[in-house]
Amino acid sequence: EYTSAQLSTTRGPTPELIIGDSGSGDLDCPSALAFDEDGDLWVAASDSDELLGYSQTQLASSGTPVPSVVLSDDGAGQLASPAGLAFDAAGDLWVSNAAAGTLVAYSPDQLTSSGAPAPALSLADDGSGSLNSPHQIAFDTSGDLWVASSGTNQLLAYSPEALASSGSPTASIVVSDDGSGSLDEPSGVAFDPSGDLWVTSPDSESLLEYTPGELSTTGAPSATVVTGTATELSGPYGIAISGAST
């Protein structure tokens, strides 16, 4: 954890807090983070195929705490290399699974104790191949779930209706690269307060910004691109927007 003061200047600060593995091997290749409404931190542990929950108390100081909740795959192989996490308005935790090529959701009740529950909802590709190696995910203000589909160099949006039941829905909007190669294996997605969608593209070493208008329909719009040549942006993976739009 870095404080806001530590992030206000360009330098190499020592982290304010460091949370390490408890010795169980659960915290193995953490790939995504999300806070729930109670302030607990959820972590996608990609190599152990688990979701880990840490309470506020466990996050108060550096250490190697045992996660308060550990969710494992139910044996169906749907929790496979989890790469993205996002909570919806109902408190369901949505997870993108890069290896399985699925999106799954766990209800609030399923997040209260450790176990291997079957996801409350599971979405698979519609046969088009668009949902391929999904990485980070984010909800917009309309409740649409946006997915960085790393395997197809696309951004996919699923409507609330598509998220209401398990199945293989077709994405309501598909955003593709504009031909410049900037949208190359997208991995991170986050919305800023203006509704613009920011995307990390590690292979092109770029940050891409799409306006709400550019996200309103399927197509290949030209994003505003920040490249790594002038910004020391090397292989950007995850992204988060603060309240100050940074």
Short mmCIF file of all heavy atoms in Angstrom, two decimals, residues 4 131 137:
data_model
loop_
_atom_site.label_atom_id
_atom_site.label_comp_id
_atom_site.label_asym_id
_atom_site.label_seq_id
_atom_site.Cartn_x
_atom_site.Cartn_y
_atom_site.Cartn_z
N SER A 4 -1.54 8.45 -0.36
CA SER A 4 -1.75 9.48 -1.37
C SER A 4 -0.56 10.44 -1.43
O SER A 4 -0.18 10.91 -2.51
CB SER A 4 -3.04 10.26 -1.08
OG SER A 4 -3.01 10.82 0.22
N LEU A 131 -14.82 -13.82 -26.40
CA LEU A 131 -14.44 -13.90 -24.98
C LEU A 131 -13.28 -14.88 -24.86
O LEU A 131 -13.46 -16.07 -24.58
CB LEU A 131 -15.63 -14.34 -24.14
CG LEU A 131 -15.45 -14.28 -22.61
CD1 LEU A 131 -15.17 -12.86 -22.16
CD2 LEU A 131 -16.68 -14.83 -21.90
N ILE A 137 -11.86 -6.46 -15.52
CA ILE A 137 -13.25 -6.13 -15.81
C ILE A 137 -13.66 -4.90 -15.00
O ILE A 137 -13.06 -4.59 -13.97
CB ILE A 137 -14.19 -7.32 -15.49
CG1 ILE A 137 -14.01 -7.79 -14.03
CG2 ILE A 137 -13.92 -8.48 -16.43
CD1 ILE A 137 -14.89 -8.96 -13.63
#
